[in-house]
Every structure is written in C-alpha cells, then in structure tokens.
Amino acid sequence: MEYVPNILFAIALIVGVGYFTRNVKKLSRNIKLGKDVDVSDNKPQRWQNMVRIALGQTKMVVRPVAGIMHIFVYVGFIIINIEVLEIILDGLFGTHRLFSSLGSIYNFLIGSFEILAFLVIVAVVVFWIRRNVIRLQRFIKPEMKGWPKKDGNMILYIEFVLMTLFLTMNAADSQLQQMGAEHYVRAGSFPISQFLTPLLSGMSESGLMMVERTAWWLHILGILAFLNYLYYSKHLHILLAFPNTYFGKVKPKGQLDNLQSVTNEVKLMMDPNADPFAAPATTDAAAVPEKFGASDVMDLNWVQLLNAYTCTECGRCTSECPANQTGKKLSPRKIMMDTRDRLEEVGKNMDANKGEFKPDGKQLLDDYISREELWACTTCNACVQACPVSIDPLSIIVEMRRYLVMEQSAAPMELNNMMSNIENNGAPWPYNQMDRLNWVNE
Ligand code: SF4
Ligand code: SF4
C-alpha cells in the first residue's frame, strides 16, 4: 500500500507523456505533408532571430501592456518547470521537496516561483478583462467566434487554476512545516502563499495534509492535462515559436520567391544560343508537370504549415492589415487559422484511412479561403512585420494567387487586362508601343 501513490503517479505520467508524444508525432507528420524548402541558409541570422524574437520576446513588447504581461506568463512558464521537475521526482520516488537540500538556493527558488505565480495570475486576469470586458477589436473579429474564443479563455482559466493550486499547496505545506508534521521538511520561502495561510488556520494536521496533497495532485495532473490540450489549442505556440522563428523568412520582406520552373523558362528564352525546338531534358514523357501555386495545404511548403500551427491567434497582423482596416473581407489571422483547420482535416482523413489521404472533395481554396479574401491583399507585408512569432501569412496568399493566375487564369479582369497589355505592349497600358511618344506632340 505504501507504494500505491508512486505507482498511480507513474501511470499518470506515462499516460500523459505517452498521449503527448502521440500528438507530437501527428503534428510532425502533418507539417511534413508540406513541400520541401531549403532553409539551410543564413544560420547565424536564424539563431539570432530565434534568441531575439522567441526567447527575448522583442516583438511582443511593441505593444507594451500585452507584451509585459506576456513576459510574466512566459517567464513563469519557463522557470516553474524547475518546480515541476521536483514534483515529478517526488511523485516517482515518494520523497517530499527533494531539492530542499539546496538550502538557501532552494528557498530563493521557491520564493521566486511564488512571485512569478502571482504575476501570472495578475497577467491572466488582465488578459481576461481585455478579451471579455474591454473586448478589444482584434479579439472580437468574425474569425474569433466559437472555438477560438473558448480556447483563448480556457487557457486563461487553466493557468489561473494551476497557479492557485501551486500557492494553496505551498500555504498548506508551510503550515505543516511549522507544526513539525512528519515528512514535511522545513524548506522554502513563501512570500505570496503566506497571505493564504489565514484561510487555513484552525485546521488539523490531517486536514492540512488533505489540502496539501489534493492541491499537489491536482496541480501535476492539471499540468499533464494542459500538456495534452496544447495540440488542440493556439497555445501550441509555447513550443513552436522557437522553431518557427528559426525557420522564418530571412530574406528582405518584399522579396517574393520566383518559381524555379518559370525562371528556367525565362532563362532559356533569354539565351541566344538556346534551341527553342530542343526536346525537354526529361525523358519521362508521362511525368506530370508540377502544379503552379497552391490550392490546398499539400501545395504549401512545410514552413508555411509550421506557421499555421504556431499562430497564436493574437490578431496583431489583422489589426495592422490595411485591407481589414478598410472593411475588406481579408484577415491574415484567418488565413493562418484556415490553413491549420484544413491541415487538421487532412490529418484526420489520413488517420481514418491508414495513413493515406483519400480525396474528400475539399481544398483550402474556396472551401476555407475565398478568392475575395485573396485578392483583397495589397501585399504590403504589414502582417509579417506585426507578427510576434515570425509568421508569414502573405506567402500563403501569394501562393494561392499564383495558383489562380497560372493554373486557372482566374485573376480579376483588371489584372488580366494588365497582364495581356504587358505581354502585347510591354507596358500595363492598352496602347501600341509605336504610340508611346505621341504625348510629345499633344
Ligand atoms: S500583406 Fe496583405 S494580408 Fe498582410 S497586411 Fe498587407 S494587405 Fe493585409
Ligand atoms: S499570424 Fe502572427 S500576428 Fe497574426 S494572429 Fe497569428 S501569431 Fe498573431
């Protein structure tokens, strides 16, 4: 009987971590559905971006209130992991406050965890008020109805409960230490939870133990449950922000990628020594030519799919988007949310069909993202600049437009006219090249 709690704890840990590993595998498989892209360039710049943007949170503080509050939650998340490690070891080996032998360092750590836990609670309350009472514009856009709204609030509730459990556990523990209860070593400093101890005064030793153990178990089970909630939530960014900022675009923002196949064709046309009637280099006559642009998630590259899973749904991109500000249907955040939703749908299709994707008659274009949204984009890059985790919604818009233009000739009439004019007259205007200088005589 003595080892029952340890065994139960080990089972909970194995189930929690096992399910999380399963979800990570799914996530990785879905991201790998994207096309390959070379991101091996500029390694120093990439590391620098990751340290500056993900670790240093530099883009978050552009909006100071949200930025500073976010830093509390983020630092709290990182630092409190040390405490989680102690809880896991205690749970497995039946010890209590295993790291207490660190003496004053331990006291300092527990004291700082408590202060961070309190700051996290303050930040979470401020975030909740901004979302639900002040109702900031970017949190009430059409794409934030239903699950995204619930998810945003759910994360705040979970963090609030986890931090409260941690402080309650410490409050009961410090009382037990003062009573000299067996097993409760005198260790730690409790600058915040000391204010909760009056609520526990008058309780018996066994009652305090009940409170301490309940808070301890709920805290760690809550953490394991939260770990598994990540996959279904925008909160996945706490893990993916790091690779995403590393693999983010390092070329100048305005530089669009050319299609290699088109570049080759143009080079051939410009080469005076090329034989325009020469047979194509490939000998495989049945080879299907590569599709231009993207109509579904599998046509995007894996960094774009990683972007979709990393999106925090913060809406900073949408709030900066000139198209959205002027009442157009386009929201760059929705582009990312739609890409993730479609990718999830494709993943579930594969799960149901033994790892094979069975065509479902749907695609990202039209079923998720409309042409009206795509053509509303001014390609200004404001969304890319605003994103605190280096996501590039514009690259997806451009790929999907590329598909419309090059595969379907389905550009808006004004653009088609312009492109025909460039082709025929070498200029966007519908005038013959010979008439270009007529204005001189007018
Ligand atoms: S690039 Fe397009 S989507 Fe992004 S902010 Fe500009 S108009 Fe909006
Ligand atoms: S793309 Fe970036 S800025 Fe836009 S909602 Fe997602 S995380 Fe926020």
Side-chain angles (χ1 to χ4, degrees), residues 317 320-324 330-332 335 376-384 393-394 397:
C317 52
E320 302 278 335
C321 173
N324 192 276
L330 173 65
S331 160
I335 299 287
C377 176
T378 66
T379 64
C380 67
N381 262 308
C383 53
V384 185
L394 175 58
I397 295 172

Side-chain angles (χ1 to χ4, degrees), residues 160-181:
F160 183 89
V161 170
L162 286 179
M163 294 303 119
T164 308
L165 285 169
F166 171 66
L167 293 173
T168 309
M169 176 183 89
N170 278 356
D173 195 298
S174 67
Q175 288 285 82
L176 287 161
Q177 288 182 26
Q178 279 171 23
M179 284 179 172

